[in-house]
Amino acid sequence: MRRTYLSTLAVIGALSGILFLSACGDDDENFSNPDISISETNVTASPGEQVDVTVTISADPEAENVVVTKLWDGAAESTETISSFPSNTFTFSYTVENEDADHVTVLNFTLTDTRGNTDEVELVIDVELTPTQLLLKYNWRLNEEIREQTGENDITEAYTDDVYQFNADGTYQKSIGEMADDFSDLWYNYCYYDLNETTMRLLMSRTGAFAEEVTDTLNIIVLDNEKMHADVTYYGLDAFGDEYDPVEEYEKRFVAVAKTDSFDPYMPGPDDDATGPANMCADVTFEND
């Protein structure tokens, strides 16, 4: 009789264990997997602009956190962890940085629930530089001057190593390089500029040794990460020979080069970097509407 009683208890215990495990399994199956989505998965923005996306999450029994990771070319650059969720929908804001333009920039949103399960989604940010930002990002080496009448490169050799640097404060400078011309390079300071981003007209002022102010006008037709091309009008070219008209149209072509600390304004060496040939820059009011 005792054996029968013990056997019955064993069966009941085994059945209880099976029912308990089954119940636990059913409870786990009742929880849904976490889910995260964003209102946009691809945006275009410029450095300094704020990107806003609406993030929607769903997690059982609740969300543990959302980790936002900025990726440059697939490598993690920075992270931010969000652990407080007043509701299942919130806005995430990111301000695009200048350096983002140098990489494939992606924001990865990873949701983790309290059970350790995860879901993720990504936002691709196409960084588009404004014309002024492009102008400031690079230095610009003069490469060619195409004469409209002939379609040929008519650049003076002394100008082929000239490099221009534009600064955020509205000033610019020119590195003359190893070759200087017979007059301008020894006479003018390179002073101020103004770019109209609508018309793409670039005005660049120079000041001569007698404090005379000259403004050069470049009508930009191409400006990107590799090059800048601009139409210019030259006057008084007939002084250089009968083959030139008094007024002629040219296309100046520049190549984008990296900005470095070794940029050397004016003639080679540091002696004239602060003063230039004219030792001053005349005040100028640009009319560039």
Side-chain angles (χ1 to χ4, degrees):
M1 232 7 229
R2 189 161 179 257
R3 289 184 180 176
T4 303
Y5 176 73
L6 289 175
S7 297
T8 302
L9 287 177
V11 171
I12 292 173
L15 289 173
S16 299
I18 292 171
L19 290 172
F20 177 76
L21 291 173
S22 176
C24 289
D26 290 343
D27 286 345
D28 202 49
E29 289 176 2
N30 287 334
F31 288 127
S32 60
N33 290 324
D35 180 76
I36 185 169
S37 62
I38 52 179
S39 55
E40 297 178 272
T41 56
N42 191 290
V43 296
T44 300
S46 298
E49 289 187 12
Q50 179 175 292
V51 173
D52 296 320
V53 291
T54 301
V55 182
T56 303
I57 62 173
S58 174
D60 273 338
E62 61 184 3
E64 180 74 24
N65 59 47
V66 171
V67 176
V68 184
T69 303
K70 182 170 78 170
L71 305 170
W72 278 350
D73 306 318
E77 172 63 21
S78 62
T79 61
E80 178 179 345
T81 300
I82 303 169
S83 301
S84 177
F85 307 100
S87 70
N88 67 333
T89 299
F90 62 92
T91 299
F92 182 83
S93 300
Y94 174 74
T95 301
V96 179
E97 300 175 351
N98 289 325
E99 294 81 1
D100 292 336
D102 299 325
H103 307 275
V104 176
T105 301
V106 174
L107 297 183
N108 175 279
F109 299 78
T110 299
L111 165 66
T112 302
D113 67 15
T114 52
R115 295 178 298 142
N117 296 329
T118 63
D119 189 33
E120 63 183 279
V121 66
E122 291 187 335
L123 170 66
V124 178
I125 302 177
D126 295 321
V127 182
E128 185 175 73
L129 296 178
T130 67
T132 299
Q133 288 167 337
L134 275 170
L135 197 67
L136 296 175
K137 181 178 181 180
Y138 302 102
N139 284 344
W140 301 91
R141 179 175 61 81
L142 185 59
N143 187 45
E144 295 179 297
E145 290 194 298
I146 306 300
R147 186 183 180 194
E148 184 180 89
Q149 280 196 20
T150 63
E152 296 180 355
N153 182 19
D154 201 29
I155 194 171
T156 300
E157 186 179 6
Y159 298 149
T160 57
D161 60 354
D162 289 358
V163 177
Y164 293 79
Q165 179 170 280
F166 296 88
N167 307 308
D169 63 358
T171 63
Y172 81 100
Q173 293 170 311
K174 182 175 108 169
S175 176
I176 293 167
E178 297 295 331
M179 296 181 290
D181 70 10
D182 295 331
F183 176 68
S184 293
D185 287 341
L186 308 177
W187 189 261
Y188 286 103
N189 274 26
Y190 299 90
C191 298
Y192 308 107
Y193 74 93
D194 183 81
L195 174 62
N196 184 320
E197 293 190 336
T198 301
T199 65
M200 294 302 291
R201 175 169 292 174
L202 175 63
L203 302 181
M204 303 164 61
S205 74
R206 295 178 282 138
T207 299
F210 291 156
E212 69 273 27
E213 188 272 319
V214 177
T215 296
D216 299 316
T217 301
L218 282 69
N219 294 303
I220 297 175
I221 53 178
V222 177
L223 177 60
D224 57 33
N225 289 295
E226 298 179 350
K227 59 189 176 297
M228 176 170 61
H229 296 174
D231 290 333
V232 299
T233 302
Y234 287 137
Y235 299 89
L237 292 185
D238 52 332
F240 297 99
D242 295 338
E243 68 271 25
Y244 291 100
D245 293 335
V247 180
E248 293 215 21
E249 302 298 326
Y250 276 75
E251 182 182 300
K252 294 173 78 77
R253 295 179 177 179
F254 301 82
V255 176
V257 295
K259 271 191 171 181
T260 66
D261 293 336
S262 62
F263 179 80
D264 182 15
Y266 301 110
M267 298 291 288
D271 293 345
D272 61 353
D273 290 359
T275 62
N279 200 33
M280 68 166 295
C281 276
D283 291 335
V284 58
T285 300
F286 290 115
E287 296 182 3
N288 197 15
D289 296 330

